[in-house]
Structure formats: C-alpha cells, structure tokens
Amino acid sequence: MTTLNFYTLLLLISLTVLLSCSDNKKTQLTSQTINSNEGIAIDTLNFIYDGPKNFTLDYFPKNAVHSAMVKECEIREQDNSSKRISRIVQFDKSGNIVKDENNFFSYWFEGTVRGKYNYQYDETGRKLIMKGIPQEDSKDSIMTIWNYTLAGLLFSRDDYEFTKMLKPGADRHLPNPKDYEKYPTWNKLRSYQFSQRPDSVAIEIFADKKSVTKENYQLLFDTSKKLKAVNKFENGSLVETIDYTHEANSITEFIKRKMNDGKEWTYKSKTVFNDKGYLIEKIVFNDDESEKVKMIVSYNVDGTIKNINYNNTIQEFKYSYY
C-alpha cells in the first residue's frame, strides 16, 4: 500500500467515525401523538407546578410578547459587585421562546442558572422539544420531549441525556472506562406520565423502564372555582399540603411538607397584583411573619416586564422587535 493510499484510507476511517458520532446525536427522537384516554390539560398541570393563575411570575407573558412583536430580550443584571448580561431570549412571531441563553441568570428564590436551550413548537403553540446544554462547559447535551394525545392532552414528558451508555452486564456501581459504549447516544433518564380525574392529577415517574414513583395530587377549589389547596401524595402517603388564601389584590400560599427525616418544613409567601392583574410583588416570610425577601416587578405599557428588583439585585429587560 502506498503512503498516499494509506493516508487516504486513514482519512476515510476518521470521516466515518465522525459521521457515525454525528448521526447518533441526530437520532430522530421526536414528539409522538398517543392514542389514549389518559393525559392532562396544560392549565390543570400548571395548578400543581405554578399554583393559581398568575401566582407565579411569568418572565415573558406570551400574549404581551406576541402583541408587542418582541423578537429578542436581553436581561442586564446588576448587584453590589457586578453588572452583566445574564440572559438572552429569542422569540418567534407567535410569542414562543425559541432560544434561551442563561449566563448565571438569577431566578427568584431558586439561585442562578447557566445554559443554552432551544425549543420547538407545533402549529398551535404547544411545546414539543427542548434541546440544550445545561452548563457552558458541559459536554453532555440534554433533551426533553412532550407527547400529546389525539385529544390534545399532555400524555407524557421524556427527559434525555446525550452520553455514553454502560455496556450490557457492566458494573453500574464501580464502572471503569471500558464499561462504556464507544460513542454517546441519547439516553432516556426519566419519563413522566400524566392522567387526571375531576378533582385529582396522577403523575407516574419511570426510570430504566420501571415505575419508581407515583405522585397523586388532590386539587380543591372554592365556590368561585379558585384553587384553594393542593394535597400531594407519594406512593399513597400524604407528603405535602399547599393552602392558598385569595384576597382582592393578593394570594397567600402556605406550604407544609414532611421531610425524609420526619421533620416538618413550612414555607409562606404572598403575591400582590395591580389593577390589571399583573404580579407586582412577591414576598417570602420568616417563621415570625416578618418579611424575609421581597421582589418588586415593574411593567412597560405593553405588558412586558421592565425590571425586577430584589435582594439588592436589579434585572433590566431590554427588547428588540420584529
């Protein structure tokens, strides 16, 4: 074999390996339409994750973003020690987030976030796929896929990680480098399957194709159909209660949770609204009812957020338009 042919063969082998790795990452995992009577309406699921309508701050209200024809939002964050662009979000013309880049963006009471994420939607605006990298220096991509029923209900949510899988029969507790497959692939980490009844929601969580947790949420409403309580059960045992008190311009939340060590954890917060129904204050209380931290939100005339101020941190929202 001549030297030229040897290097040509080596180049072809290298290209084959690269294309194989690339093809693995482009595996056609996509949102599925499920023929099932199960599933849940997104508005109902939001009661569990976000509480009553408008109780949890929506950083980018879809109707306001759509009406104002916002193309991009840049959030400039300043505290006592630094000032930086902490988040850049891009939207389609329907007001959906299509790209979300976080650079230590400070989420209210949840800490800072890093990562770049891209979203895909169907023609009705339903979220189908999210792909991203959770940290700037991470080598592993993540993906979430939402699957819906023929009736338009959310049937399941699947979480994936692009990583090298363990070989069949490998030691899962003390693996060595040889125990992993040669190339990374999309590995399903968890799957959440949803169903609802008139006054309850069930979420079953699967890992390695096995059911690992069954969560049941009892939703209680007052006579005006406002959410007043959510009781959470795990594998049949009551583990958390959330009570909501509605007043003319505010909603107060009180959470009581049983921890693994048997102790009880409580959390009290309050959301205050202006006359347009926009969240303008969020307050977390200490055990003695004194204010622990307060968030203040200001809005532009078009309903988009202008700035957020809390804990000596100011977030300024700067928009560009179509």
Side-chain angles (χ1 to χ4, degrees), residues 47-94:
F47 284 137
I48 295 171
Y49 293 141
D50 299 329
K53 185 178 179 181
N54 297 331
F55 179 78
T56 299
L57 178 66
D58 186 352
Y59 287 90
F60 304 103
K62 184 175 177 179
N63 289 339
V65 169
H66 177 227
S67 297
M69 293 298 290
V70 175
K71 182 177 182 180
E72 183 176 281
C73 178
E74 182 180 278
I75 301 179
R76 301 169 187 175
E77 192 164 326
Q78 181 175 359
D79 55 28
N80 293 332
S81 60
S82 65
K83 184 175 183 178
R84 67 187 184 283
I85 297 173
S86 63
R87 192 175 180 187
I88 299 175
V89 181
Q90 295 177 359
F91 307 87
D92 61 20
K93 291 185 178 181
S94 296

Tab-separated table of all heavy atoms in Angstrom, residues 47-94:
chain	number	residue	atom	x	y	z
A	47	PHE	N	-51.611	24.163	37.740
A	47	PHE	CA	-52.049	24.319	39.129
A	47	PHE	C	-51.060	23.652	40.083
A	47	PHE	O	-50.821	24.141	41.187
A	47	PHE	CB	-53.433	23.693	39.338
A	47	PHE	CG	-54.570	24.514	38.803
A	47	PHE	CD1	-55.601	23.914	38.098
A	47	PHE	CD2	-54.628	25.878	39.019
A	47	PHE	CE1	-56.657	24.664	37.606
A	47	PHE	CE2	-55.675	26.642	38.531
A	47	PHE	CZ	-56.703	26.033	37.826
A	48	ILE	N	-50.478	22.537	39.653
A	48	ILE	CA	-49.539	21.799	40.507
A	48	ILE	C	-48.187	22.489	40.559
A	48	ILE	O	-47.600	22.673	41.624
A	48	ILE	CB	-49.387	20.357	39.990
A	48	ILE	CG1	-50.709	19.612	40.130
A	48	ILE	CG2	-48.266	19.617	40.723
A	48	ILE	CD1	-50.730	18.268	39.457
A	49	TYR	N	-47.665	22.879	39.404
A	49	TYR	CA	-46.320	23.435	39.346
A	49	TYR	C	-46.258	24.935	39.667
A	49	TYR	O	-45.255	25.411	40.203
A	49	TYR	CB	-45.725	23.192	37.958
A	49	TYR	CG	-45.468	21.738	37.646
A	49	TYR	CD1	-45.711	21.212	36.390
A	49	TYR	CD2	-44.968	20.878	38.622
A	49	TYR	CE1	-45.465	19.869	36.100
A	49	TYR	CE2	-44.723	19.545	38.353
A	49	TYR	CZ	-44.970	19.038	37.083
A	49	TYR	OH	-44.726	17.719	36.814
A	50	ASP	N	-47.328	25.671	39.346
A	50	ASP	CA	-47.281	27.132	39.478
A	50	ASP	C	-48.314	27.716	40.431
A	50	ASP	O	-48.273	28.909	40.722
A	50	ASP	CB	-47.472	27.779	38.105
A	50	ASP	CG	-46.374	27.389	37.130
A	50	ASP	OD1	-45.234	27.158	37.587
A	50	ASP	OD2	-46.646	27.293	35.917
A	51	GLY	N	-49.283	26.909	40.900
A	51	GLY	CA	-50.323	27.446	41.770
A	51	GLY	C	-51.429	28.108	40.973
A	51	GLY	O	-51.571	27.894	39.759
A	52	PRO	N	-52.249	28.939	41.635
A	52	PRO	CA	-53.349	29.627	40.933
A	52	PRO	C	-52.832	30.511	39.800
A	52	PRO	O	-51.648	30.857	39.752
A	52	PRO	CB	-53.991	30.477	42.046
A	52	PRO	CG	-53.568	29.832	43.316
A	52	PRO	CD	-52.214	29.253	43.066
A	53	LYS	N	-53.724	30.855	38.897
A	53	LYS	CA	-53.365	31.682	37.747
A	53	LYS	C	-52.679	32.972	38.187
A	53	LYS	O	-53.162	33.666	39.075
A	53	LYS	CB	-54.611	32.012	36.927
A	53	LYS	CG	-54.318	32.775	35.652
A	53	LYS	CD	-55.590	33.032	34.863
A	53	LYS	CE	-55.301	33.812	33.592
A	53	LYS	NZ	-56.537	34.090	32.811
A	54	ASN	N	-51.532	33.272	37.580
A	54	ASN	CA	-50.736	34.478	37.818
A	54	ASN	C	-50.021	34.496	39.164
A	54	ASN	O	-49.346	35.479	39.490
A	54	ASN	CB	-51.587	35.752	37.691
A	54	ASN	CG	-52.144	35.934	36.303
A	54	ASN	OD1	-51.544	35.497	35.325
A	54	ASN	ND2	-53.310	36.554	36.198
A	55	PHE	N	-50.128	33.414	39.959
A	55	PHE	CA	-49.449	33.414	41.257
A	55	PHE	C	-47.936	33.374	41.092
A	55	PHE	O	-47.195	33.996	41.844
A	55	PHE	CB	-49.919	32.221	42.100
A	55	PHE	CG	-49.245	32.129	43.436
A	55	PHE	CD1	-49.647	32.949	44.489
A	55	PHE	CD2	-48.189	31.242	43.654
A	55	PHE	CE1	-49.006	32.881	45.720
A	55	PHE	CE2	-47.559	31.168	44.878
A	55	PHE	CZ	-47.973	31.991	45.915
A	56	THR	N	-47.462	32.627	40.108
A	56	THR	CA	-46.025	32.519	39.825
A	56	THR	C	-45.657	33.476	38.694
A	56	THR	O	-46.368	33.561	37.696
A	56	THR	CB	-45.665	31.078	39.426
A	56	THR	OG1	-45.989	30.203	40.526
A	56	THR	CG2	-44.190	30.944	39.092
A	57	LEU	N	-44.558	34.192	38.867
A	57	LEU	CA	-44.151	35.190	37.877
A	57	LEU	C	-43.848	34.539	36.533
A	57	LEU	O	-43.078	33.580	36.436
A	57	LEU	CB	-42.916	35.943	38.363
A	57	LEU	CG	-42.358	36.993	37.390
A	57	LEU	CD1	-43.354	38.127	37.207
A	57	LEU	CD2	-41.017	37.523	37.871
A	58	ASP	N	-44.460	35.064	35.486
A	58	ASP	CA	-44.150	34.687	34.107
A	58	ASP	C	-43.232	35.770	33.551
A	58	ASP	O	-43.650	36.900	33.319
A	58	ASP	CB	-45.441	34.595	33.287
A	58	ASP	CG	-45.204	34.074	31.879
A	58	ASP	OD1	-44.030	33.936	31.485
A	58	ASP	OD2	-46.197	33.817	31.169
A	59	TYR	N	-41.957	35.416	33.362
A	59	TYR	CA	-40.984	36.413	32.917
A	59	TYR	C	-41.318	36.959	31.533
A	59	TYR	O	-41.003	38.117	31.229
A	59	TYR	CB	-39.579	35.805	32.896
A	59	TYR	CG	-38.978	35.591	34.271
A	59	TYR	CD1	-39.174	34.403	34.960
A	59	TYR	CD2	-38.212	36.581	34.884
A	59	TYR	CE1	-38.627	34.198	36.216
A	59	TYR	CE2	-37.662	36.397	36.134
A	59	TYR	CZ	-37.876	35.195	36.804
A	59	TYR	OH	-37.338	35.001	38.044
A	60	PHE	N	-41.945	36.132	30.713
A	60	PHE	CA	-42.259	36.553	29.344
A	60	PHE	C	-43.696	36.164	29.004
A	60	PHE	O	-43.932	35.135	28.354
A	60	PHE	CB	-41.277	35.920	28.351
A	60	PHE	CG	-39.840	36.219	28.669
A	60	PHE	CD1	-39.038	35.262	29.268
A	60	PHE	CD2	-39.306	37.466	28.396
A	60	PHE	CE1	-37.717	35.535	29.582
A	60	PHE	CE2	-37.975	37.756	28.711
A	60	PHE	CZ	-37.185	36.792	29.304
A	61	PRO	N	-44.682	36.956	29.468
A	61	PRO	CA	-46.091	36.642	29.181
A	61	PRO	C	-46.315	36.533	27.676
A	61	PRO	O	-46.057	37.477	26.934
A	61	PRO	CB	-46.845	37.845	29.770
A	61	PRO	CG	-45.896	38.477	30.740
A	61	PRO	CD	-44.529	38.217	30.197
A	62	LYS	N	-46.765	35.375	27.230
A	62	LYS	CA	-46.842	35.102	25.800
A	62	LYS	C	-47.727	36.094	25.071
A	62	LYS	O	-47.373	36.577	23.984
A	62	LYS	CB	-47.348	33.677	25.568
A	62	LYS	CG	-47.372	33.273	24.102
A	62	LYS	CD	-47.765	31.818	23.927
A	62	LYS	CE	-47.852	31.439	22.459
A	62	LYS	NZ	-48.209	30.016	22.274
A	63	ASN	N	-48.875	36.435	25.639
A	63	ASN	CA	-49.783	37.369	24.964
A	63	ASN	C	-49.144	38.742	24.787
A	63	ASN	O	-49.273	39.376	23.732
A	63	ASN	CB	-51.096	37.486	25.737
A	63	ASN	CG	-51.945	36.229	25.624
A	63	ASN	OD1	-51.772	35.438	24.701
A	63	ASN	ND2	-52.851	36.032	26.568
A	64	ALA	N	-48.450	39.201	25.834
A	64	ALA	CA	-47.800	40.512	25.761
A	64	ALA	C	-46.651	40.500	24.763
A	64	ALA	O	-46.490	41.438	23.965
A	64	ALA	CB	-47.297	40.923	27.145
A	65	VAL	N	-45.850	39.443	24.783
A	65	VAL	CA	-44.714	39.326	23.846
A	65	VAL	C	-45.220	39.270	22.410
A	65	VAL	O	-44.670	39.916	21.508
A	65	VAL	CB	-43.883	38.076	24.186
A	65	VAL	CG1	-42.861	37.784	23.084
A	65	VAL	CG2	-43.169	38.257	25.517
A	66	HIS	N	-46.298	38.515	22.188
A	66	HIS	CA	-46.868	38.388	20.847
A	66	HIS	C	-47.436	39.719	20.365
A	66	HIS	O	-47.177	40.148	19.232
A	66	HIS	CB	-47.954	37.311	20.858
A	66	HIS	CG	-48.654	37.148	19.551
A	66	HIS	ND1	-50.021	37.072	19.450
A	66	HIS	CD2	-48.178	37.076	18.277
A	66	HIS	CE1	-50.360	36.941	18.181
A	66	HIS	NE2	-49.257	36.951	17.455
A	67	SER	N	-48.222	40.375	21.215
A	67	SER	CA	-48.853	41.644	20.823
A	67	SER	C	-47.822	42.724	20.513
A	67	SER	O	-48.008	43.528	19.597
A	67	SER	CB	-49.798	42.128	21.934
A	67	SER	OG	-50.848	41.206	22.136
A	68	ALA	N	-46.730	42.738	21.296
A	68	ALA	CA	-45.688	43.755	21.092
A	68	ALA	C	-44.716	43.376	19.979
A	68	ALA	O	-43.834	44.171	19.636
A	68	ALA	CB	-44.931	43.968	22.393
A	69	MET	N	-44.869	42.152	19.413
A	69	MET	CA	-43.978	41.657	18.357
A	69	MET	C	-42.513	41.682	18.810
A	69	MET	O	-41.610	42.123	18.080
A	69	MET	CB	-44.159	42.475	17.076
A	69	MET	CG	-45.517	42.293	16.427
A	69	MET	SD	-45.821	40.574	15.916
A	69	MET	CE	-44.668	40.408	14.560
A	70	VAL	N	-42.275	41.183	20.019
A	70	VAL	CA	-40.916	41.124	20.558
A	70	VAL	C	-40.120	40.043	19.828
A	70	VAL	O	-40.595	38.923	19.650
A	70	VAL	CB	-40.943	40.821	22.073
A	70	VAL	CG1	-39.517	40.632	22.596
A	70	VAL	CG2	-41.636	41.947	22.824
A	71	LYS	N	-38.922	40.385	19.418
A	71	LYS	CA	-38.029	39.437	18.739
A	71	LYS	C	-36.982	38.884	19.703
A	71	LYS	O	-36.652	37.700	19.660
A	71	LYS	CB	-37.335	40.135	17.565
A	71	LYS	CG	-36.426	39.217	16.766
A	71	LYS	CD	-35.817	39.969	15.573
A	71	LYS	CE	-34.949	39.047	14.727
A	71	LYS	NZ	-34.357	39.770	13.568
A	72	GLU	N	-36.470	39.747	20.572
A	72	GLU	CA	-35.406	39.324	21.494
A	72	GLU	C	-35.473	40.160	22.762
A	72	GLU	O	-35.864	41.326	22.741
A	72	GLU	CB	-34.038	39.474	20.840
A	72	GLU	CG	-32.881	38.984	21.702
A	72	GLU	CD	-31.548	39.064	20.972
A	72	GLU	OE1	-31.285	38.168	20.147
A	72	GLU	OE2	-30.772	40.021	21.229
A	73	CYS	N	-35.103	39.538	23.875
A	73	CYS	CA	-34.990	40.259	25.146
A	73	CYS	C	-33.623	39.983	25.748
A	73	CYS	O	-33.196	38.828	25.843
A	73	CYS	CB	-36.084	39.819	26.127
A	73	CYS	SG	-35.959	40.640	27.748
A	74	GLU	N	-32.963	41.043	26.136
A	74	GLU	CA	-31.665	40.954	26.799
A	74	GLU	C	-31.843	41.440	28.232
A	74	GLU	O	-32.327	42.548	28.458
A	74	GLU	CB	-30.648	41.827	26.058
A	74	GLU	CG	-29.250	41.788	26.631
A	74	GLU	CD	-28.298	42.679	25.841
A	74	GLU	OE1	-27.807	42.222	24.792
A	74	GLU	OE2	-28.094	43.839	26.263
A	75	ILE	N	-31.475	40.601	29.186
A	75	ILE	CA	-31.626	40.966	30.598
A	75	ILE	C	-30.265	41.333	31.166
A	75	ILE	O	-29.331	40.515	31.148
A	75	ILE	CB	-32.255	39.821	31.415
A	75	ILE	CG1	-33.629	39.467	30.848
A	75	ILE	CG2	-32.376	40.214	32.886
A	75	ILE	CD1	-34.321	38.325	31.559
A	76	ARG	N	-30.172	42.558	31.646
A	76	ARG	CA	-28.938	43.040	32.260
A	76	ARG	C	-29.128	43.017	33.770
A	76	ARG	O	-30.042	43.634	34.307
A	76	ARG	CB	-28.628	44.454	31.768
A	76	ARG	CG	-28.479	44.508	30.246
A	76	ARG	CD	-28.442	45.916	29.722
A	76	ARG	NE	-28.461	45.944	28.247
A	76	ARG	CZ	-28.524	47.061	27.530
A	76	ARG	NH1	-28.595	48.246	28.142
A	76	ARG	NH2	-28.545	46.988	26.206
A	77	GLU	N	-28.238	42.306	34.439
A	77	GLU	CA	-28.382	42.065	35.874
A	77	GLU	C	-27.258	42.758	36.634
A	77	GLU	O	-26.086	42.657	36.274
A	77	GLU	CB	-28.356	40.561	36.142
A	77	GLU	CG	-28.777	40.169	37.529
A	77	GLU	CD	-29.112	38.689	37.605
A	77	GLU	OE1	-29.629	38.126	36.608
A	77	GLU	OE2	-28.882	38.098	38.673
A	78	GLN	N	-27.636	43.457	37.688
A	78	GLN	CA	-26.656	44.202	38.472
A	78	GLN	C	-26.888	43.960	39.950
A	78	GLN	O	-28.022	44.022	40.439
A	78	GLN	CB	-26.745	45.697	38.166
A	78	GLN	CG	-25.730	46.550	38.918
A	78	GLN	CD	-25.775	48.021	38.505
A	78	GLN	OE1	-26.554	48.387	37.635
A	78	GLN	NE2	-24.946	48.839	39.126
A	79	ASP	N	-25.802	43.661	40.687
A	79	ASP	CA	-25.868	43.566	42.143
A	79	ASP	C	-24.775	44.446	42.728
A	79	ASP	O	-24.240	45.316	42.051
A	79	ASP	CB	-25.743	42.107	42.617
A	79	ASP	CG	-24.488	41.416	42.090
A	79	ASP	OD1	-23.488	42.125	41.836
A	79	ASP	OD2	-24.502	40.182	41.926
A	80	ASN	N	-24.432	44.214	43.984
A	80	ASN	CA	-23.455	45.079	44.650
A	80	ASN	C	-22.048	44.959	44.077
A	80	ASN	O	-21.220	45.848	44.245
A	80	ASN	CB	-23.415	44.765	46.148
A	80	ASN	CG	-24.703	45.154	46.846
A	80	ASN	OD1	-25.399	46.070	46.413
A	80	ASN	ND2	-25.028	44.460	47.921
A	81	SER	N	-21.775	43.844	43.397
A	81	SER	CA	-20.394	43.595	42.968
A	81	SER	C	-20.183	43.571	41.468
A	81	SER	O	-19.049	43.686	41.003
A	81	SER	CB	-19.904	42.262	43.556
A	81	SER	OG	-20.718	41.191	43.108
A	82	SER	N	-21.241	43.392	40.671
A	82	SER	CA	-21.019	43.242	39.239
A	82	SER	C	-22.250	43.624	38.430
A	82	SER	O	-23.357	43.748	38.967
A	82	SER	CB	-20.634	41.789	38.910
A	82	SER	OG	-21.714	40.914	39.193
A	83	LYS	N	-22.020	43.772	37.112
A	83	LYS	CA	-23.106	44.008	36.165
A	83	LYS	C	-22.812	43.197	34.918
A	83	LYS	O	-21.692	43.208	34.416
A	83	LYS	CB	-23.213	45.501	35.812
A	83	LYS	CG	-24.386	45.826	34.908
A	83	LYS	CD	-24.510	47.330	34.686
A	83	LYS	CE	-25.733	47.655	33.828
A	83	LYS	NZ	-25.900	49.113	33.626
A	84	ARG	N	-23.788	42.483	34.419
A	84	ARG	CA	-23.556	41.599	33.282
A	84	ARG	C	-24.860	41.366	32.534
A	84	ARG	O	-25.956	41.625	33.046
A	84	ARG	CB	-23.010	40.252	33.753
A	84	ARG	CG	-24.009	39.435	34.557
A	84	ARG	CD	-23.401	38.186	35.144
A	84	ARG	NE	-24.395	37.365	35.831
A	84	ARG	CZ	-24.892	37.629	37.032
A	84	ARG	NH1	-24.475	38.702	37.688
A	84	ARG	NH2	-25.789	36.838	37.576
A	85	ILE	N	-24.741	40.852	31.310
A	85	ILE	CA	-25.902	40.359	30.570
A	85	ILE	C	-26.117	38.921	31.026
A	85	ILE	O	-25.305	38.039	30.741
A	85	ILE	CB	-25.674	40.430	29.054
A	85	ILE	CG1	-25.494	41.887	28.625
A	85	ILE	CG2	-26.844	39.794	28.306
A	85	ILE	CD1	-25.101	42.045	27.168
A	86	SER	N	-27.183	38.676	31.775
A	86	SER	CA	-27.367	37.365	32.396
A	86	SER	C	-28.286	36.443	31.601
A	86	SER	O	-28.326	35.243	31.856
A	86	SER	CB	-27.936	37.533	33.810
A	86	SER	OG	-29.220	38.138	33.773
A	87	ARG	N	-29.017	37.008	30.627
A	87	ARG	CA	-29.933	36.153	29.868
A	87	ARG	C	-30.303	36.817	28.553
A	87	ARG	O	-30.559	38.025	28.507
A	87	ARG	CB	-31.197	35.889	30.697
A	87	ARG	CG	-32.106	34.796	30.146
A	87	ARG	CD	-33.257	34.533	31.101
A	87	ARG	NE	-34.151	33.494	30.612
A	87	ARG	CZ	-35.302	33.157	31.191
A	87	ARG	NH1	-35.681	33.760	32.292
A	87	ARG	NH2	-36.062	32.206	30.673
A	88	ILE	N	-30.311	36.037	27.476
A	88	ILE	CA	-30.766	36.500	26.167
A	88	ILE	C	-31.809	35.502	25.660
A	88	ILE	O	-31.526	34.304	25.553
A	88	ILE	CB	-29.609	36.618	25.163
A	88	ILE	CG1	-28.566	37.629	25.667
A	88	ILE	CG2	-30.137	37.031	23.796
A	88	ILE	CD1	-27.330	37.717	24.781
A	89	VAL	N	-33.008	35.994	25.369
A	89	VAL	CA	-34.113	35.129	24.954
A	89	VAL	C	-34.628	35.602	23.604
A	89	VAL	O	-34.853	36.800	23.396
A	89	VAL	CB	-35.256	35.157	25.989
A	89	VAL	CG1	-36.393	34.233	25.566
A	89	VAL	CG2	-34.744	34.755	27.363
A	90	GLN	N	-34.806	34.656	22.676
A	90	GLN	CA	-35.346	34.964	21.353
A	90	GLN	C	-36.725	34.332	21.198
A	90	GLN	O	-36.977	33.241	21.725
A	90	GLN	CB	-34.401	34.461	20.264
A	90	GLN	CG	-33.049	35.164	20.267
A	90	GLN	CD	-32.095	34.601	19.229
A	90	GLN	OE1	-32.411	33.672	18.499
A	90	GLN	NE2	-30.894	35.167	19.165
A	91	PHE	N	-37.607	35.022	20.454
A	91	PHE	CA	-38.991	34.591	20.295
A	91	PHE	C	-39.353	34.459	18.822
A	91	PHE	O	-38.776	35.141	17.969
A	91	PHE	CB	-39.945	35.614	20.937
A	91	PHE	CG	-39.627	35.938	22.371
A	91	PHE	CD1	-38.716	36.943	22.685
A	91	PHE	CD2	-40.227	35.236	23.398
A	91	PHE	CE1	-38.417	37.247	24.001
A	91	PHE	CE2	-39.937	35.536	24.717
A	91	PHE	CZ	-39.028	36.540	25.025
A	92	ASP	N	-40.325	33.594	18.534
A	92	ASP	CA	-40.890	33.590	17.188
A	92	ASP	C	-42.021	34.626	17.140
A	92	ASP	O	-42.330	35.275	18.141
A	92	ASP	CB	-41.374	32.196	16.780
A	92	ASP	CG	-42.485	31.638	17.678
A	92	ASP	OD1	-43.155	32.433	18.367
A	92	ASP	OD2	-42.682	30.406	17.676
A	93	LYS	N	-42.651	34.786	16.003
A	93	LYS	CA	-43.672	35.822	15.855
A	93	LYS	C	-44.981	35.486	16.563
A	93	LYS	O	-45.870	36.333	16.658
A	93	LYS	CB	-43.932	36.084	14.375
A	93	LYS	CG	-42.754	36.763	13.682
A	93	LYS	CD	-43.065	37.125	12.246
A	93	LYS	CE	-41.895	37.849	11.607
A	93	LYS	NZ	-42.165	38.241	10.197
A	94	SER	N	-45.082	34.265	17.100
A	94	SER	CA	-46.260	33.885	17.885
A	94	SER	C	-46.056	34.126	19.375
A	94	SER	O	-46.958	33.878	20.174
A	94	SER	CB	-46.597	32.412	17.647
A	94	SER	OG	-46.953	32.190	16.298
